[in-house]
Amino acid sequence: MSLDQYMEEAIQLPTKVVAVAAAEDEEVIAAVVCAVEKKLATFILYGNESIIKSLLATRDNGYDVNQFVKIVDAKNERDAARLAVQGVSSGIANVLMKGNVSTSVILKEVLNKEYGLRTGSVLSHVAAFQIKDFDRLLFITDAAMNIAPDLNQKIEIINNVVNFARRLGITLPKVAAISAVETVNSNMLATMDGALLTQMNARGQIKNCLVDGPLALDNAISLQAADVKGIKGEVAGNADIILVPTIEVGNVLYKSLVYFAKAKVGAVITGASAPIVLTSRADSAETKLYSLALAVRSVS
Amino acid sequence: MSLDQYMEEAIQLPTKVVAVAAAEDEEVIAAVVCAVEKKLATFILYGNESIIKSLLATRDNGYDVNQFVKIVDAKNERDAARLAVQGVSSGIANVLMKGNVSTSVILKEVLNKEYGLRTGSVLSHVAAFQIKDFDRLLFITDAAMNIAPDLNQKIEIINNVVNFARRLGITLPKVAAISAVETVNSNMLATMDGALLTQMNARGQIKNCLVDGPLALDNAISLQAADVKGIKGEVAGNADIILVPTIEVGNVLYKSLVYFAKAKVGAVITGASAPIVLTSRADSAETKLYSLALAVRSVS
């Protein structure tokens, strides 16, 4: 599957609702209008009503966006975040999207014990890449949320991404626990965690996926590279999911794919009771749309 | 400059000599013959003389390789490594190349206090990438030798790569100390080291280069990405050298560039009194040649 195929599938679904926290932002409104025009979702825009209305008006190109968009006035960004989170937890909306509100403020509301979207798992970032000359979507986790997850956090990160991939139709995702080498080295924590996660998967402690590690990136994604190293198994060369050991590894891989391999990408935050779209100003309009498409498709 | 231009420059130089430790290997001989045919260097092949001779004979395609290749018989791989290192330290050869000998064996000889190639610095791996649609060679260090260098080791790694880049004609290399973010965060060691290295450079404690960090990969290599984040200075967007915080970051970036961005690469070990070419079986013939070209060019 490609991001474009998931976009198509998301468009075909019965309409989903996205709750946007603090929508009073030009780029956020641009993404909303674009998604509406594609019939990807309808939106509830929480925030400063008059600014949101005027931003929507400047985007008015004859297509009646307003019938697919509802505005709910909010006093400030914290209020907008709270209302948007409550919109999702009450079932009015299916997906949460960050607007012009800081990440820390929206995540605090997401983690609120009364009305938040907690599941007991860590929140983790999943990015899905469509790469030229590569035959499948490649999921990378976690490039943005967890700095240096320990073994238990890695298990939760795997569970989050596996649940997400399965909702996208990948019934038994193949997870490669990445390090710099493919042998266990007691001086390299990532190699030891890779081996532990593999064996925990073999013992049924990590379910609904196949885990193998440690693997270097090349033997995770290239059958030929795996073969040169004599690595067998179903994951090596065939990984769907790249579990990185630290945020620096994920972030560099993310940026390398976008800037040097010209890959297309969409990303969501997983681990909450609904997917969260947390795009940043640096993301392209295309990335924002793909992120929305993945989130919408995953709640079907 | 591109790898191909460095190859051309290396070919134009007065002939350099490469000492190969344990040359009795089909792929090593293939690389040697290819380099000889390009007039890139002459070779002293240390190892099992009869095997080397028969391997050379199978490569005989009318071009008289033997006049550019000298064979020195060695009893075993350790003996071959010792003789090759001594060949370089005595000045007979300019570059050391690993053949069919384990990395640990050859590095032990390199670090020998009597006849080795020690300079007092750590040894560090430098890879140079020629990337499509990117206007300059991008150096990445260290993707293969130092697992999790501390601040002092990072300084030595910077000095090593800067010396190497300057020998290649880049008089004031721009070094980006990479992390996942571009702000200092006391929970992220890479960001703190990045800031410390920057200030040490400003104070003249790290010379002959410009250092800036922490930078994320995108704002190190893209002026537009740096601009979105409001990052000023001469390094952001213009980095020649990517200093990675851990071997996992470097290794993933290396493999991503080769497998997904289809970049060309050559690599050497720096920090010894001569460049060391440490290619592995997984490297393409092209990578081996580029590595030799960079090593030869850097000793001019």
Side-chain angles (χ1 to χ4, degrees), chain A residues 233-246:
Chain A
E234 293 180 73
V235 177
N238 287 313
D240 300 297
I241 295 167
I242 301 296
L243 174 77
V244 296
T246 66

Side-chain angles (χ1 to χ4, degrees), chain B residues 113-125:
Chain B
K113 284 185 184 170
E114 267 176 66
Y115 54 78
L117 308 173
R118 294 168 77 102
T119 64
S121 173
V122 296
L123 299 180
S124 53
H125 184 268

Side-chain angles (χ1 to χ4, degrees), chain B residues 9-36:
Chain B
E9 288 191 359
I11 290 167
Q12 300 305 321
L13 290 173
T15 306
K16 304 295 172 193
V17 181
V18 179
V20 183
E24 57 271 31
D25 176 89
E26 204 173 323
E27 291 191 36
V28 170
I29 293 294
V32 166
V33 169
C34 187
V36 164

Side-chain angles (χ1 to χ4, degrees), chain A residues 22-39:
Chain A
E24 58 271 31
D25 176 89
E26 205 174 322
E27 291 191 36
V28 170
I29 293 294
V32 167
V33 170
C34 188
V36 165
E37 286 174 358
K38 279 189 170 290
K39 299 188 190 301

Side-chain angles (χ1 to χ4, degrees), chain B residues 24-218:
Chain B
E24 57 271 31
D25 176 89
E26 204 173 323
E27 291 191 36
V28 170
I29 293 294
V32 166
V33 169
C34 187
V36 164
E37 287 174 357
K38 279 191 170 289
K39 297 187 189 302
L40 184 57
T42 64
F43 288 83
I44 309 177
L45 308 178
Y46 299 86
N48 184 310
E49 186 169 5
S50 65
I51 300 180
I52 293 172
K53 274 192 172 156
S54 69
L55 286 171
L56 280 173
T58 64
R59 291 270 157 190
D60 191 353
N61 55 3
Y63 189 91
D64 189 6
V65 167
N66 288 309
Q67 63 176 305
F68 305 104
V69 164
K70 193 179 145 193
I71 303 173
V72 176
D73 193 44
K75 287 196 292 283
N76 52 43
E77 67 170 41
R78 213 213 122 198
D79 194 41
R82 181 180 57 78
L83 289 169
V85 166
Q86 288 176 335
V88 177
S89 59
S90 68
I92 298 171
N94 310 98
V95 169
L96 180 66
M97 181 178 178
K98 172 184 171 303
N100 189 24
V101 49
S102 70
T103 301
S104 60
V105 168
I106 193 170
L107 291 184
K108 198 175 164 196
E109 299 302 317
V110 167
L111 296 174
N112 182 286
K113 284 185 184 170
E114 267 176 66
Y115 54 78
L117 308 173
R118 294 168 77 102
T119 64
S121 173
V122 296
L123 299 180
S124 53
H125 184 268
V126 175
F129 292 87
Q130 182 175 319
I131 306 165
K132 194 162 171 291
D133 299 332
F134 193 66
D135 68 349
R136 59 193 181 274
L137 214 58
L138 192 67
F139 295 83
I140 293 173
T141 189
D142 176 340
M145 293 278 293
N146 292 281
I147 294 174
D150 64 19
L151 185 67
N152 287 325
Q153 289 166 330
K154 284 178 184 170
I155 295 168
E156 294 185 16
I157 290 169
I158 291 176
N159 287 335
N160 286 348
V161 67
V162 165
N163 287 340
F164 183 68
R166 284 165 56 86
R167 282 174 165 278
L168 296 178
I170 304 168
T171 49
L172 192 66
K174 301 184 181 77
V175 183
I178 293 296
S179 180
V181 293
E182 51 285 324
T183 46
V184 178
N185 178 333
S186 62
N187 293 318
M188 299 169 88
L189 180 65
T191 69
M192 294 193 289
D193 280 357
L196 293 168
L197 294 166
T198 304
Q199 195 62 359
M200 292 180 84
N201 176 240
R203 289 288 185 270
Q205 292 171 276
I206 301 171
K207 296 186 202 304
N208 297 323
C209 60
L210 295 174
V211 180
D212 196 8
L215 290 171
L217 182 64
D218 55 341

Side-chain angles (χ1 to χ4, degrees), chain B residues 223-300:
Chain B
L223 277 171
Q224 200 194 337
D227 199 49
V228 167
K229 297 279 178 138
I231 304 170
K232 310 285 182 210
E234 293 179 73
V235 178
N238 286 313
D240 300 298
I241 294 167
I242 301 296
L243 174 77
V244 295
T246 66
I247 195 170
E248 290 87 5
V249 178
N251 199 272
V252 154
L253 181 52
Y254 186 116
K255 267 104 182 224
S256 167
L257 287 170
V258 169
Y259 283 86
F260 292 131
K262 316 287 184 203
K264 297 179 174 191
V265 60
V268 303
I269 305 295
T270 58
S273 59
I276 304 169
V277 175
L278 257 198
T279 62
S280 81
R281 202 161 286 272
D283 289 324
S284 68
E286 185 186 66
T287 291
K288 287 171 187 157
L289 261 188
Y290 282 136
S291 300
L292 276 169
L294 287 171
V296 165
R297 172 63 183 75
S298 76
V299 293
S300 61

Side-chain angles (χ1 to χ4, degrees), chain A residues 207-234:
Chain A
K207 296 186 201 302
N208 297 323
C209 61
L210 294 174
V211 180
D212 196 8
L215 290 171
L217 182 63
D218 55 342
N219 34 64
I221 54 95
S222 158
L223 277 171
Q224 200 194 338
D227 198 49
V228 167
K229 297 278 178 139
I231 304 170
K232 311 284 183 210
E234 293 180 73

